[in-house]
Every structure is written in structure tokens, then in C-alpha cells.
Amino acid sequence: MRRARRSIEIRMSADDGSASIEFLTVGMLLLVPTVYLVIALSSIQSASFAVEGAARQAARVFVQAPTVAAAEAAAERAIAVTLADYGLEAPDAAVAVSCRPDPADCLARRGFVTVELSVVAPLPLLPPVLGVDVPLGVPIDSVATEQVSRFAGSR
């Protein structure tokens, strides 16, 4: 009886080979979410750089244009190029341009032009789901203000 009990105890206490399986299982359970987190955060950071740069550049080209129509076209081009450099779609961006102190005259000398830009940065590896009211991305906003030169219109 003692011999059978001892034989069962030896078989039950043998852990040969299970450490590698435990290591692989726990490693994968920890590694996959960590890698996804790093990829998602880098995607969000890239989008924030894109939105900030696009708003800043749009405000800069707006105040340097000779007319309001040329300024709006230049700002749209600057936003499209900057967002495309970071892999974002320009039509998905919400853009608002406001002027101070006179909203009717955006290119008045020493006036201020403010460009507000908002984009939803998509999260990587998430397919679009039909019927979901929650956006599968992170909204990113940026505001840039530039002053019109005191020499504007004197060229």
C-alpha cells in the first residue's frame, strides 16, 4: 500500500515540461495586449502631430495670402498635405477659421486668424462595425492662431 501511494505521489509531483508551457501562455497573454497598446498609442501620437502641424501650417499660410479666397484655398491645401503625410484623410477633418477683431475682414492688418482642426484618429486593427454609434477612434483637436502682418496689403 505504501508503495502504491508513493508511486502516485511521485507521478503527481512531476512537473517536467510544464514550465515552458506556462511561460509561453503567460508571455502571450501579457505580450499581445502590450504590443497592441504600443501600436495604438503611437497611432494616436502620430495623429496628434498631424493635427497640430496641419492647424499651425494652415494658420501660417492663411495670414500670408493676398486675398481671403486665396487664403482659404492655401489653408485647405496645407491641411490636406499635412494630414496625408501622416496617413489621415483630409475630408474627414472638421475645419473652422475665425478672425479677430473683425470677423468680416480676416486679412486686416494686425488681425488674428484662428484655425481649429478636429480629426478622429482611427485605432489600428479595428474593423468598422455596422450600427455602432461609438466611433472606433480617438478625437483629436488642435487650435492655432497667427497674426496678420502689419505690412499686409502693402506689397
Side-chain angles (χ1 to χ4, degrees):
M1 193 72 153
R2 281 185 165 178
R3 189 177 247 192
R5 184 184 299 168
R6 184 172 166 121
S7 173
I8 291 173
E9 287 176 5
I10 290 174
R11 273 190 253 142
M12 295 296 279
S13 67
D15 283 340
D16 295 341
S18 66
S20 62
I21 292 178
E22 290 172 3
F23 177 75
L24 289 174
T25 303
V26 171
M28 290 304 288
L29 288 175
L30 294 176
L31 185 65
V32 170
T34 303
V35 169
Y36 182 78
L37 181 67
V38 169
I39 291 171
L41 288 177
S42 66
S43 174
I44 293 167
Q45 184 66 35
S46 173
S48 69
F49 282 147
V51 171
E52 190 275 329
R56 183 171 27 102
Q57 193 62 26
R60 286 179 180 173
V61 298
F62 196 99
V63 299
Q64 293 177 354
T67 65
V68 174
E72 290 172 351
E76 285 179 22
R77 282 192 309 271
I79 290 170
V81 168
T82 305
L83 292 179
D85 284 346
Y86 287 90
L88 296 173
E89 300 290 327
D92 297 339
V95 182
V97 178
S98 59
C99 307
R100 299 188 327 254
D102 183 12
D105 186 13
C106 282
L107 297 176
R109 294 179 184 187
R110 296 212 173 191
F112 291 93
V113 175
T114 301
V115 176
E116 298 177 32
L117 184 61
S118 179
V119 174
V120 175
L123 292 174
L125 305 175
L126 287 182
V129 179
L130 299 175
V132 176
D133 293 334
V134 179
L136 296 176
V138 177
I140 299 175
D141 304 322
S142 181
V143 177
T145 302
E146 287 287 331
Q147 185 175 22
V148 180
S149 173
R150 64 182 175 173
F151 302 114
S154 64
R155 297 178 201 137

